Amino acid sequence: MQSMSIPNGPTALRRIIGAELKRLRLAARKAQHEVAELSGIAQNSLSRYESGVSAMSNPVAEKLLTIYGVDEEQQAELLDLVKRSRKRRPKGEAKTAVWEPVEDLIALERDASKILEVAIQPMPGLLQTEAYARAMLGQGKLGADVVEDNVQARLARAAVLGGDNPVGYWVVIHEAVLRCAVGGAETMAEQLAHIAELSKRPNITLQVLPDSAGAHSASAGSFMLLRFPIAPEYGVVYIDYFTGALYLDEPEEVAQYDDAYLHLIKMALSEQASLRFIKKLSQELYS
């Protein structure tokens, strides 16, 4: 299995652009060598653009999109993404204290049209209250300032769930997440009330996977699957671990996580039953 290496946000955008360029070329029934002849762009450069290894200029992107017959509206969207993919942190600007893999995830979440998540432990970052986030992030050896930066960054991520064009978010939360008393009873009561309220939003689907479901396809741990409107056939699986994170985007790998997710939503409680379960558990454990 091959993992997706994303050293920074712009590289993540290049992978999305590359996947869409490849899809458009194949839809136009053209081989790379044909496009190279038509565009005057070296074939090895085209390969690097499609794999997301190299950034391209807007004139090069515009030339390719014209060859592929892309309409003006989609061209404008892709060219904006191309421009953003070349951005770098200004010289002298301080690097954020936020954990580096999360910087990449934030960039992906902003561009996603759909986020599917499975949480085995802890509560998904997009759903955490301030008190819960602070209790989680305060467990390590980070200084108070760094913890605070990370807490505020985690809370800011939730902006994608609201606004005029919120992301579609479908999350399966294991019962163990609800039972683990992070921050104590008061913090957990607030946290469970928060997710119960969020679950009422039309763009959010929340299901609980109870302990009684038994063995399941996410026994290896939590994961997030992101899809993007600009590249509908491209998906990224995000998995974090103690010292870093993995980004998987090989189609065969993504398909396996798609299958695992479909299996889990069938095993999980319905939305209505999940809401009743959350309220009942909160009363039993945290009232």
Side-chain angles (χ1 to χ4, degrees):
M1 293 187 177
Q2 185 177 359
S3 63
M4 173 184 178
S5 175
I6 307 183
N8 50 45
T11 305
L13 297 181
R14 289 201 295 269
R15 293 298 292 259
I16 297 171
I17 295 162
E20 183 62 2
L21 285 176
K22 182 177 181 179
R23 186 190 72 81
L24 291 168
R25 176 175 60 77
L26 294 175
R29 298 180 180 275
K30 295 187 183 298
Q32 277 190 351
H33 69 85
E34 294 178 275
V35 177
E37 292 175 5
L38 288 169
S39 64
I41 300 169
Q43 186 174 341
N44 65 337
S45 294
L46 288 174
S47 179
R48 292 173 67 83
Y49 295 148
E50 288 188 2
S51 64
V53 173
S54 296
M56 72 182 81
S57 66
N58 273 51
V60 166
E62 191 168 2
K63 186 181 293 187
L64 294 174
L65 296 174
T66 300
I67 291 172
Y68 300 151
V70 177
D71 63 46
E72 290 185 6
E73 183 178 353
Q74 189 181 7
Q75 276 207 29
E77 292 177 353
L78 281 165
L79 289 174
D80 176 65
L81 212 59
V82 168
K83 181 179 179 181
R84 289 166 52 200
S85 75
R86 297 195 306 274
K87 288 186 177 180
R88 291 289 185 271
R89 185 179 293 108
K91 188 174 182 180
E93 181 181 305
K95 181 171 171 47
T96 176
V98 175
W99 191 44
E100 189 169 342
V102 176
E103 289 188 84
D104 303 326
L105 179 61
I106 291 169
L108 291 170
E109 287 174 341
R110 281 198 302 262
D111 288 296
S113 58
K114 183 186 295 184
I115 299 175
L116 310 176
E117 185 163 14
V118 174
I120 306 302
Q121 198 66 255
M123 186 68 64
L126 288 172
L127 302 180
Q128 291 180 14
T129 64
E130 183 170 353
Y132 186 102
R134 185 165 283 107
M136 281 295 303
L137 293 165
Q139 296 304 305
K141 296 182 179 180
L142 300 175
D145 290 346
V146 176
V147 168
E148 188 59 30
D149 285 344
N150 278 270
V151 167
Q152 295 308 316
R154 184 163 295 184
L155 296 176
R157 285 172 56 198
V160 300
L161 300 178
D164 295 333
N165 188 30
V167 67
Y169 182 58
W170 194 333
V171 58
V172 176
I173 300 177
H174 196 276
E175 180 178 341
V177 177
L178 308 177
R179 288 186 174 277
C180 185
V182 173
E186 184 177 347
T187 293
M188 287 302 297
E190 179 191 31
Q191 177 65 69
L192 268 56
H194 179 64
I195 62 173
E197 190 62 31
L198 285 177
S199 71
K200 299 175 184 177
R201 295 187 185 182
N203 62 305
I204 297 176
T205 301
L206 188 152
Q207 291 179 260
V208 172
L209 183 66
D211 286 337
S212 59
H216 54 80
S217 57
S219 57
S222 305
F223 65 88
M224 179 187 284
L225 175 57
L226 303 98
R227 298 282 185 184
F228 307 90
I230 201 69
E233 294 188 7
Y234 180 72
V236 177
V237 175
Y238 171 85
I239 304 168
D240 65 25
Y241 54 95
F242 190 63
T243 57
L246 288 176
Y247 292 83
L248 311 176
D249 70 343
E250 292 298 328
E252 296 80 7
E253 287 183 300
V254 175
Q256 290 183 51
Y257 282 90
D258 263 326
D259 290 344
Y261 190 83
L262 291 173
H263 178 67
L264 285 164
I265 61 176
K266 291 177 182 178
M267 295 180 67
L269 300 175
S270 69
E271 293 179 73
Q272 294 76 17
S274 294
L275 186 56
R276 291 194 296 269
F277 187 93
I278 290 168
K279 290 180 176 179
K280 182 174 182 290
L281 202 61
S282 183
Q283 291 172 353
E284 290 177 355
L285 298 178
Y286 307 122
S287 61

